[in-house]
Amino acid sequence: MSFSADPRPPDPRRWLALVFIGLAQLMIVLDVTIVNIALPSLQTDLGISDGDRQWVITGYTLAFGSLLFLGGRIADYTGRKRAFLIALIGFAAASALGGMAGNFELLLASRVLQGLFGALLAPATLSLIAVTFTDGRERAKAFGIFGAIAAGGGAIGLILGGALTDYLDWRWCLYVNIPVALVAAVGGYLVLSDARPEGHARFDFLGVLLVSGGLVSIVYACSEAESEGWGSTLVVGLFAIGAALLAAFVAVESKISQPLLPLRVLASRTRGGAYLAVAVAVVGLFGAFLFNTYYMQVVLGYSPVKTGVAFLPMSVAVLVAAGGISSRLMLKLPPRLLIVPGLLFGAAGMAWTATLEATTGYAQGVMTAQLLLGFGMGLIMPVAMDYSTYGIAPEDAGVASAGVNTSQQVGGSIGTALLNTIAASAAADYLVSHPKSPTLAKEAMTEGFGTAGSWAAAIMLVGAVVVALLMNTPRPARNADKSAAVPAPAHL
């Protein structure tokens, strides 16, 4: 990748600024995995049903994913520093509200608010790095540190979430965001510099309403299918409404002058393949987080902190594949030669969950599935993130980076809702069709997770086939600058 010179003098406090930007990124990443570990405890405490538990995750990811483009626009027009500070304070307040929640409805509202402020914070952090580091090589180094925080934050969240839930209370998994946000906000206020861009902001609020409404309808349809049935009038109607709203979103975006998502960004087979790969991959990843958490805590009887430690093999596998293989081969091979095998490894990991029984040991069961899935994620994510800005015009680089993060959050939202419904339905059917026994509930839960894992594997296999056919990008030329911007790291 080549680096262009920037006439602006470097900010003498730029590396200190990166510390506070990195803290904000760490908080965003932590909030996904840390709540997963606490989910069984908070579900019991608040009396949340198995069908509704997924909303604790999807309420956050859905708001985050559907509002990312708008968050990027707001940050661009109001000033990135201002957006950064507002988002941090809002995220802290939403976390406090969730920690105090006495019922499911208030907790869900707080998670949606977290997602809303996260959608403003994530683009602001990426933009602040770009404007703070004016030298190309320093900028690449800063993004490398930023990406390492994204990769390692998930593992930290798993262990921290387990420890807080075990030794304090699940509510501290939300309260912990408050001091992190306040330190980042105070530090950012003191050291960050940013000028508000000139010009008048035009926000595509109609686009926001259409895409958000469409996605919420589809996720809600998936969640209601467990109790109402896939062929019910409510579920079919919700799917139809969701599809109609998303179709209207595409029509609106093709006609207005400043769209939320310029359709030209999606026109490339390379970028489209990268977005699809990320969306399909996180279907398996988010499903694994949800199911393995319950399997280890409820079926195997692990404590929350032991569960967090038991997830570490997945994190290690991700880092080995990403750092030892993808980062070295992505400049030598066409992207699909890494992404497709990654999806196949991920599918194998999810399929392995179908072999689990209530008495299966950790090493031969959960750990094997985690290693396969984690290795696959490590092959997919760096390549897909890099090619998400392949051949993009400079003016579209920000929206292209937001697009791949949106794919991740939306894929996680729909995947979690769909797989949770499949698991809950399969478990309910197992309870009805088998005689009562002391281990029946654990057997039913394991059966549900295995069935959902098989569906996730099938989705990833289909994704592998589509990417293999769609993403016909050749291997990168030596010393070619194939990307118009440093790609955004994954918020995992």
Side-chain angles (χ1 to χ4, degrees):
M1 185 174 290
S2 62
F3 299 99
S4 57
D6 192 304
R8 292 173 295 170
D11 187 336
R13 299 179 296 178
R14 59 194 180 281
W15 294 108
L16 180 58
L18 183 62
V19 172
F20 300 112
I21 296 172
L23 271 178
Q25 167 68 5
L26 179 62
M27 185 180 66
I28 294 174
V29 176
L30 283 177
D31 212 66
V32 177
T33 54
I34 199 171
V35 173
N36 262 288
I37 293 296
L39 194 53
S41 297
L42 71 85
Q43 180 183 359
T44 301
D45 192 19
L46 298 182
I48 303 173
S49 70
D50 287 348
D52 286 338
R53 66 189 174 194
Q54 53 88 15
W55 282 105
V56 179
I57 305 299
T58 56
Y60 173 78
T61 57
L62 192 58
F64 195 129
S66 61
L67 296 174
L68 259 172
F69 290 115
L70 180 62
R73 294 280 188 189
I74 292 174
D76 283 340
Y77 283 112
T78 64
R80 296 154 184 112
K81 178 178 177 179
R82 181 182 299 176
F84 180 80
L85 298 177
I86 292 172
L88 282 170
I89 299 302
F91 202 99
S95 299
L97 181 65
M100 295 184 294
N103 55 60
F104 170 60
E105 291 75 17
L106 186 57
L107 177 64
L108 178 59
S110 74
R111 293 290 286 164
V112 171
L113 283 174
Q114 281 184 309
L116 185 153
F117 286 109
L120 178 60
L121 183 59
T125 57
L126 292 170
S127 300
L128 280 168
I129 292 178
V131 299
T132 301
F133 291 87
T134 56
D135 176 76
R137 294 188 182 278
E138 283 196 347
R139 185 181 302 173
K141 184 178 179 181
F143 269 106
I145 295 171
F146 192 78
I149 293 171
I156 294 172
L158 292 168
I159 297 174
L160 182 61
L164 291 172
T165 304
D166 244 358
Y167 301 121
L168 293 173
D169 187 79
W170 66 263
R171 298 177 185 277
W172 282 95
C173 292
L174 293 163
Y175 288 145
V176 73
N177 291 325
I178 299 172
V180 177
L182 292 179
V183 170
V186 171
Y189 176 79
L190 294 175
V191 304
L192 289 174
S193 58
D194 181 37
R196 178 177 176 177
E198 296 182 4
H200 217 31
R202 274 188 172 177
F203 298 120
D204 180 15
F205 289 114
L206 177 58
V208 172
L209 291 174
L210 290 173
V211 72
S212 300
L215 292 173
V216 169
S217 294
I218 291 172
V219 171
Y220 189 53
C222 291
S223 68
E224 288 298 297
E226 190 268 330
S227 59
E228 301 291 332
W230 290 101
S232 67
T233 302
L234 174 63
V235 171
V236 173
L238 285 169
F239 275 125
I241 292 171
L245 289 174
L246 292 179
F249 170 72
V250 173
V252 168
E253 298 305 282
S254 66
K255 293 180 179 179
I256 63 175
S257 59
Q258 293 187 22
L260 189 66
L261 173 60
L263 298 184
R264 60 182 176 273
V265 173
L266 301 178
S268 165
R269 294 175 65 169
T270 299
R271 293 193 298 273
Y275 297 158
L276 175 64
V278 170
V280 170
V282 296
V283 169
L285 185 65
F286 277 49
F289 279 141
L290 178 64
F291 301 148
N292 287 350
T293 295
Y294 276 88
Y295 180 79
M296 287 190 278
Q297 291 190 35
V298 178
V299 178
L300 299 184
Y302 286 9
S303 67
V305 69
K306 187 176 180 180
T307 300
V309 173
F311 268 109
L312 287 181
M314 180 188 291
S315 299
V316 172
V318 171
L319 293 175
V320 168
I325 298 177
S326 283
S327 61
R328 297 183 181 183
L329 295 182
M330 63 193 296
L331 297 179
K332 302 177 182 179
L333 298 175
R336 63 180 169 185
L337 291 188
L338 289 169
I339 291 177
V340 171
L343 288 170
L344 295 178
F345 271 107
M350 294 309 297
W352 194 268
T353 62
T355 70
L356 297 182
E357 297 179 358
T359 56
T360 303
Y362 167 74
Q364 70 187 86
V366 173
M367 189 176 78
T368 300
Q370 285 186 15
L371 289 173
L372 289 168
L373 180 62
F375 190 80
M377 294 302 104
L379 292 179
I380 296 165
M381 289 302 183
V383 184
M385 292 293 163
D386 190 26
Y387 279 87
S388 67
T389 53
Y390 181 91
I392 200 73
E395 63 270 19
D396 289 331
V399 74
S401 294
V404 72
N405 285 319
T406 299
S407 298
Q408 180 176 300
Q409 300 299 333
V410 171
S413 301
I414 295 176
T416 301
L418 175 64
L419 296 180
N420 183 72
T421 295
I422 292 171
S425 299
D429 292 342
Y430 189 93
L431 288 171
V432 171
S433 60
H434 287 74
K436 291 185 178 180
S437 70
T439 60
L440 180 61
K442 292 182 178 180
E443 293 171 0
M445 180 176 286
T446 305
E447 175 70 18
F449 294 162
T451 302
S454 298
W455 275 89
I459 291 170
M460 296 180 82
L461 285 174
V462 171
V465 173
V466 175
V467 171
L469 297 174
L470 177 69
M471 203 173 189
N472 60 346
T473 318
R475 73 175 187 175
R478 284 187 182 273
N479 301 320
D481 184 3
K482 66 180 185 311
S483 183
V486 179
H491 293 300
L492 288 178

